[in-house]
Amino acid sequence: MKYMTDKEAIMKAIHFKNLKGELTVPGDKSISHRSVMLGALAKGTTEVTGFLQGADCLSSISCFQKMGVEIENNKETNVVHIHGNGLHGLKAPSSVLDVGNSGTTTRLMSGILAAQPFSSTIDGDASIRKRPMGRIMTPLREMGADFQSLQTEQCAPFTISGGHLHGIHYYSPVASAQVKSAILLAGLYAEGNTSVTEPYLSRNHTELMLKAFGAEIKSDGTTASVFPVSELTAQHISVPGDISSAAYFIVAGLVTPHSEITIRNVGINPTRDGILTVCENMGANVRLSNIKEDTGELVADITVSTSSLHGCTIEGDIIPKLIDEIPIIAVMAAFAEGTTIIKDAQELKVKESNRIDVMVKNLSSMGVEIEGTDDGMIIHGGRPLHGTSIDTRSDHRIAMSFAIAGGLTEGDTEIADAECVNISYPDFYTDLQQLMK
Ligand code: S3P
C-alpha cells in the first residue's frame, strides 16, 4: 500500500481500515527554532537532541550560519551542535537572509536583528511575502530599530537597521508568541526592562528557554518581562515531540473505527495543549501516561482510541493554545455528531494560507455542512464524507489534515502539492502508513 505521487505532486490518500500501533513524532517546531536562536546568542556549544529536520527549522539554521555561527546538524541522529559566539558575536550577513516559508524564523530573528549594529535583509517565499510583519515592526521601531519594506508596506522583503534599543511596555493587539518573542529577544539588548502584555497567553517556549540560558525573565498572567543580560550560557536542549504533529494521529485514532494509537514523548506544555481539552469536551478517549518534565517542558505519551464524538464550542483563551491544530480539529468536528463552533480565531486568516477559507472550501467539497465566519467556522458534523481534490495552497497543515480526512471518505481523495508537509513533518506519510499494517 503506497501513497502515490505523480509528476504534479498529486497524492492519492489511502483509505483506512483501522489504525493501530505506536509512533514518535518529530521534534517540536517552535522549540527547535528557539534552540538555534538562543544557542547562536549564547557563549559555548549548545547541544540539541530531537531537533526537527523540517524545512522551516533548516531555514533558521542557514540564516544564523550566514551570520557567522558554526552549526553542525546531524540529519541521521537529529542532534545539532550550535557553537555560539555570545550575545554580540553575530556578523553582518553578506547576502539576503532567506527564511523560506517560516514565519517563526522571520519574526523571532527580526527581534534579534533589531539590536545588531548592522543592517540585514529578510526575504522568503510567496506565502511569507503576504504575511503581516507590521505586528513586529511597530514594537521594534518603538524600541529604536528601523525597518524598510522593499516591496509591499509591512511585508517581506524588508531591511532592518539595528541599533541601540530601549525597553518598552508593549500591549500587543494579538495573542502571538512570535510577536511576544521578537520583543523579548530584542529586550535582551535593550536599555531597561522590556515587557509584553497580550490579550490571551500564547505559547511560552521563549520564556522557558531564556530562563534556562540564564536570562532574567518573569511571567505574570499574560505579561512577560525581560531584563537586559550581559551573557547567555550554552545549554543542552532535549526537544519533545511536537503536539501539533501528534494532532493528526490523535484525530486519526479517534475517528477511524477499531483503532488505537500511542504517540510517545509529546510536549504537553499547558500553553499548547488546547487540543487535549477539546478532545475531552468532545467525548474522546484520550489517556496520558509517563508524564514528566524535560528541559523545563512537560512531556507525556498520548494514547487515543476510537470514540463517538460530539460537537462543542471552541473560543476565547483556548484559541492560542491550539491555533495550529484548528485545521485537524475542523476535520474531527466533521466526524462528530452535532455542531462545532470555532470563534475568536481570526488569526487563521494570516497563517501559511487563509485557513478559514481553505478549510471551508475543502471540507465543503467533501460534503461537509460548514460555514466560514469572520473569526472561525461552524461545522455540522456526522454526515459521510466523499472523496474530492484538495487544494492545499501549499500549506503543510492543510495537506496533513486532508490526508487524515481522505482516509475515511467514500471515493478517492487527491491532495495537490502533498510534499509541502516537508515544512514541519517530512516523514508524515511514511509514519501514517506504519499504522495501517
Ligand atoms: C509559533 C507561534 C504561532 C504558531 C506558529 C509557531 C511560534 O504563531 O502559529 O506555527 O513558534 O512562536 P503566532 O505567534 O503568529 O500566533
Side-chain angles (χ1 to χ4, degrees):
M1 218 189 250
K2 275 226 151 55
Y3 279 94
M4 299 188 316
T5 308
D6 72 8
K7 285 192 202 91
E8 282 82 42
I10 305 248
M11 187 204 72
K12 238 186 209 149
I14 299 173
H15 289 112
F16 307 152
K17 279 199 213 91
N18 53 45
L19 298 173
K20 281 193 190 288
E22 51 174 78
L23 76 157
T24 53
V25 291
D28 188 278
K29 183 155 81 70
S30 296
I31 298 175
S32 296
H33 279 296
R34 286 156 173 81
S35 69
V36 172
M37 297 191 195
L38 294 194
L41 300 184
K43 215 166 184 72
T45 298
T46 288
E47 183 182 69
V48 187
T49 55
F51 188 82
L52 168 63
Q53 302 290 342
D56 270 10
C57 299
L58 300 181
S59 295
S60 280
I61 289 186
S62 67
C63 287
F64 281 86
Q65 284 172 330
K66 264 197 183 167
M67 291 189 276
V69 183
E70 194 193 328
I71 304 177
E72 299 155 82
N73 178 13
N74 185 328
K75 294 188 177 171
E76 299 299 312
T77 59
N78 301 328
V79 177
V80 176
H81 289 100
I82 305 143
H83 304 285
N85 299 324
L87 211 52
H88 300 281
L90 296 180
K91 297 198 176 73
S94 53
S95 55
V96 170
L97 296 166
D98 180 2
V99 297
N101 188 246
S102 176
T104 309
T105 311
T106 310
R107 297 197 178 108
L108 271 63
M109 191 169 66
S110 292
I112 295 169
L113 293 173
Q116 304 307 315
F118 53 75
S119 290
S120 42
T121 298
I122 290 183
D123 198 4
D125 68 9
S127 155
I128 274 293
R129 285 179 169 205
K130 281 195 233 145
R131 297 184 68 184
M133 295 301 156
R135 53 179 58 194
I136 50 152
M137 292 177 179
T138 301
L140 294 173
R141 276 183 180 134
E142 218 179 289
M143 292 178 82
D146 187 44
F147 283 81
Q148 291 285 307
S149 294
L150 303 179
Q151 284 181 13
T152 311
E153 261 321 291
Q154 314 214 322
C155 286
F158 57 82
T159 296
I160 308 175
S161 302
H164 185 76
L165 303 182
H166 53 83
I168 56 168
H169 186 130
Y170 190 66
Y171 289 90
S172 176
V174 281
S176 159
Q178 295 182 357
V179 171
K180 172 174 67 177
S181 302
I183 299 167
L184 294 176
L185 290 169
L188 293 173
Y189 296 85
E191 212 177 290
N193 157 242
T194 298
S195 55
V196 187
T197 300
E198 37 185 3
Y200 300 125
L201 184 62
S202 65
R203 65 192 66 192
N204 65 358
H205 305 298
T206 302
E207 294 91 304
L208 295 179
M209 205 183 284
L210 274 174
K211 197 168 184 183
F213 275 79
E216 202 186 327
I217 178 122
K218 278 195 197 134
S219 296
D220 181 11
T222 62
T223 301
S225 319
V226 74
F227 297 84
V229 71
S230 52
E231 197 160 280
L232 297 175
T233 312
Q235 295 296 309
H236 173 87
I237 310 242
S238 150
V239 183
D242 196 328
I243 193 165
S244 300
S245 298
Y248 305 101
F249 300 105
I250 293 176
V251 172
L254 295 175
V255 301
T256 308
H258 314 297
S259 296
E260 181 168 301
I261 302 174
T262 296
I263 313 142
R264 301 242 177 250
N265 197 44
V266 182
I268 53 158
N269 177 318
T271 62
R272 293 285 300 283
D273 69 353
I275 186 168
L276 300 178
T277 309
V278 167
C279 285
E280 197 183 327
N281 293 345
M282 293 179 96
N285 301 319
V286 178
R287 194 162 45 82
L288 301 189
S289 55
N290 293 327
I291 302 176
K292 57 176 194 234
E293 202 184 296
D294 194 354
T295 335
E297 294 279 354
L298 268 188
V299 297
D301 296 343
I302 302 177
T303 302
V304 296
S305 55
T306 311
S307 305
S308 70
L309 303 172
H310 51 79
C312 70
T313 297
I314 304 167
E315 61 184 333
D317 62 0
I318 199 170
I319 294 295
K321 298 180 181 154
L322 47 67
I323 189 74
D324 292 341
E325 290 70 77
I326 291 179
I328 189 65
I329 288 174
V331 169
M332 173 158 70
F335 288 96
E337 284 301 324
T339 300
T340 295
I341 302 172
I342 300 172
K343 288 193 218 171
D344 303 320
Q346 47 278 77
E347 278 294 297
L348 291 175
K349 294 182 187 164
V350 291
K351 294 294 177 190
E352 287 85 329
S353 67
N354 178 337
R355 288 182 178 162
I356 295 181
D357 200 53
V358 74
M359 286 310 296
V360 169
K361 180 169 177 266
N362 287 312
L363 279 176
S364 301
S365 86
M366 283 188 153
V368 177
E369 208 186 311
I370 177 168
E371 59 192 272
T373 61
D374 197 42
D375 65 349
M377 51 197 115
I378 301 170
I379 303 149
H380 305 284
R383 293 208 317 215
L385 272 58
H386 54 75
T388 184
S389 292
I390 299 299
D391 169 15
T392 58
R393 304 204 190 150
S394 305
D395 181 336
H396 55 135
R397 302 209 187 278
I398 302 302
M400 291 188 274
S401 297
F402 283 96
I404 302 302
L408 294 158
T409 50
E410 269 174 34
D412 290 339
T413 292
E414 289 189 338
I415 300 175
D417 205 3
E419 83 283 6
C420 64
V421 303
N422 285 335
I423 290 296
S424 64
Y425 198 159
D427 292 332
F428 174 74
Y429 301 115
T430 319
D431 285 358
L432 181 54
Q433 279 184 77
Q434 301 290 330
L435 299 171
M436 297 181 196
K437 284 180 183 151

